[in-house]
Amino acid sequence: MSAKKLNSKFAHLITKDDNFKKLSINFFIFTKISIIMSNSILQYSSITKKIVMALVGLFLLMFLLVHLAVNSFLIFDPSRTLFNEGAHFMATNPIIQTMQYVLFGGFILHIILGITLQIQNWMARPVRYKMEGWSHTSPFSKFMIHTGIIIFIFLTIHFINFFLVAKFGEIPSFGDTEMEDMGLLVIQVFKMPGYVAFYVIALILLAFHLHHAFQSAFQSLGMNHSKYTPFIKGLSTVVSVVIALGFILIPLVIFFSSRYQA
Amino acid sequence: MNIKLEIWRQKDAKSKGGFVTYPLDGVSEGMSFLEMMDFLNTTLIKKGDEPVAFEHDCREGICGSCSLYINGRAHGPAHETTTCELRMTKFRNGDRIVVEPWRSKAFPLIKDLIVDRSSFEKIMQAGGFISVNTGAAPEANSIPIPKNHADEAFDSAVCVGCGACVATCKNSSAMLFVSAKISQLALLPQGQVEAKTRVQNMVTKMDDLGFGNCTNTGACEAECPKGIKIANIARMNREFICAKMGAQKMSL
Ligand code: HEM
Ligand code: FES
């Protein structure tokens, strides 16, 4: 399926589907609540903001792990049964459905706080140096806003292509079951070279973000210890590489393997 | 040796500043960086020019008066060294050396390379003290202090308040300075009485003065001339969380 076809599918959803309206209203209200929450958090001190940022960030990390686990079903079982069952569970389980809103709110909070902190940081140095800072620190830590914004763009496109299509698209059912064939949609998208390339690049940047973020969250929460901090820093590298590599391998395998047919 | 200096010159806070290039011949390797600056100023005075204004006092790395952002690094290229202790052996014949003042909204420029660092004093006045009557020195063993606490408190207390952490941080954050001052008192029994209000007041003051937030990049600990560690920042965050959790009124 081409990107154009995907988009036309999406356009049709907006106009016709009643469910879509309902969900947009839900998300609109939720966005509003998150923004009001962020607004009061913006009055808080720098440390409180960072603590909220860290807690939300770690929560987002949990989501990434669950997401990766479900995606990997597609690799373990090319017949798509396992993946479709996983997707069906995620789409119907009431706890997961509730968490979906918490997750959405978490992203908004993380993004609003990240941008606010960054703007305050830029304002704290109105005149810049001619010779910019050079010091032995993690290079990734200096580009959190840049990697973050690219992740955000990726998430938006990803959300449109999968989440909205899954909720409102006419996805054929899987064999004789009542489950939708989500696996087929994923395979169709991952047979598009442009999308795969974009996906891989975005996930490499996610790895950069997480490489600094995971261990940074511990420091923000006041956890720094001569015995454990070196371990947490190592774990941060492992977590970022495993998550990014895991997510990257799935489209690559689907793209190059003839076992997956769109 | 011969060097080429590019120095930020600015008449006063209101004037527009800019870089001026000064070729300087006959610099000896044995000079400290500040002696080289004195040498430059002598040649400027001889020519009838205005000497470059920069701050210094003890010239032995204990007062924290000297500053200077040299070739992109606070206190220049040497590790754990203040500008006054920096030697010209760190530079080569023909080097171009860019000298800039600390850049931060909370450190407004006064003249040339001198900035106003009284923001640090304001943070200290907000809570960086203990309110006890000073009298004769107490008997040393009357207050037992674990050795590792005494050591850690001392490691934090060596902060000279030069502002290199703010200057080098990409966010102009003062967290390393503030956390060193808070840690030094939080680790000792004498500091306990005011521990809860101290951390809240100092952090509030720090935010109000326009310093940036901490992204945990660690640039401050890499450039601190006294080797203060960001473990202090984590301790401050812990102190802050505990103080806020136990506070009477909700103010986050
Ligand atoms: C799944 C996606 C994401 C995860 C798991 C994640 C996780 C984290 C974590 C754990 C931190 C460390 C917090 C701390 O230092 O205390 C962090 C920092 C940050 N994140 Fe994200 N993040 C994600 C997406 C984003 C997005 C979309 C943005 C967009 C603006 C963003 C912007 C930032 C910024 C600017 C920081 C640094 C804040 C600072 O210390 O000044 N992140 N992230
Ligand atoms: S002049 Fe006193 S520390 Fe450099």
Side-chain angles (χ1 to χ4, degrees), chain B residues 36-57:
Chain B
M36 183 277 294
M37 293 294 287
D38 293 335
F39 181 49
L40 168 73
N41 278 346
T42 319
T43 62
L44 289 180
I45 291 166
K46 273 188 193 153
K47 276 196 284 181
D49 288 344
E50 170 96 6
V52 180
F54 62 92
E55 249 183 299
H56 59 97
D57 189 9

Side-chain angles (χ1 to χ4, degrees), chain A residues 48 121 124-125 130 212 222, chain B residues 6 100 103 213 238 252:
Chain A
T48 308
N121 295 344
R125 177 161 295 143
K130 174 174 180 168
H212 174 68
Chain B
E6 275 179 53
E100 298 172 74
R103 296 288 192 197
N213 309 289
R238 280 202 301 278
L252 296 167

